[in-house]
Amino acid sequence: MTDNPTDEALMARVCEGDQQAFAVLVERHLPRAYAIARRVLGQQADAEDAAQEAFSKVWTHARDWKPERGSFAIWLGRILVNASLDLGRRQTARRQLGDADAVLAQLADHAPDHASSYICQQQAADIEQALQRLPTQQRMAVVLCYFEEHSNPQAAALMGLHVKAVEGLLVRARKQLRVWLNRHREEHV
Amino acid sequence: MNNAEDPLVQQLRSSPRPQPRPDLAAQIIRQATALPQITGWRQHIQRALDELSYGWQFKLASLALCGVLGIFAGQWQDTTDDTELLVSAQLLDSALYTEDL
């Protein structure tokens, strides 16, 4: 066995019920999957639920994955995007915007290296709050294209949309974010 | 690509990436591997159930609408002509020699 097996090799073993191979896949892909779900859903518990749902599906439906149809990362991405959007729709009714202090506290807990200064934390909290005010589809497009740096066609493939539709979502999201962030900045100057 | 020079996009990209709590991977692995893997005929049944359960409200509503339309169509139809039924009964009678009974 090689030290760093490919996703494809690991998935072949997962199909045979190899739990160790599955563990390696989870460790490898969880940080990115969690970051996407966390930014789209806004709540830590919801993001953990989405990640749990996505990886559980990878385990139970491992034989559905066909290497010729695309890489494992793309397959996992689609499962995660669908799980996050489903959870997002369910939470829309009950979602309440968390106050800035709670967001700050969470950011401070999870990213002590990056958000070392108060200003940085405040900016991150502002972005987080503005992001959570966007409709779920726009938020997903922003997270995939700007935070995770996918190309528009890649994001479109993950979301099951046409590239033009994703571009439209991004244009509307940028416009809205710019308005909210500028207004917020003016209020606090 | 993706408006990389836009200050707003740069601001978004510079915000810290959320990190999962350290024990989340272990929890996911434990809970996921406790589930049975879907293989063979179970995979087909699962897929059929998934297909069926997708938009089940609309499927049920369509079925109910078809039923209602069927009932109305039956109500509005002319009285059925039972000549063919009579002929069949007479043929059966003659075949079984029961017409005089």
Side-chain angles (χ1 to χ4, degrees), chain B residues 33-79:
Chain B
T33 52
L35 300 170
Q37 284 188 303
I38 296 170
T39 54
W41 60 270
R42 288 187 59 200
Q43 196 174 6
H44 294 295
I45 290 177
Q46 185 67 43
R47 195 171 293 159
L49 282 174
D50 288 346
E51 293 273 330
L52 201 66
S53 62
Y54 180 75
W56 65 270
Q57 299 94 334
F58 299 103
K59 287 174 186 168
L60 192 66
S62 303
L63 199 63
L65 185 65
C66 286
V68 169
L69 287 175
I71 289 169
F72 277 123
Q75 291 285 334
W76 290 331
Q77 204 177 25
D78 292 336
T79 315

Side-chain angles (χ1 to χ4, degrees), chain A residues 78 144-145 150-167:
Chain A
R78 280 202 198 110
L144 292 177
C145 293
H150 284 294
S151 66
N152 291 358
Q154 282 174 334
L158 289 176
M159 293 177 72
L161 297 174
H162 193 274
V163 182
K164 291 284 174 198
V166 171
E167 286 170 3

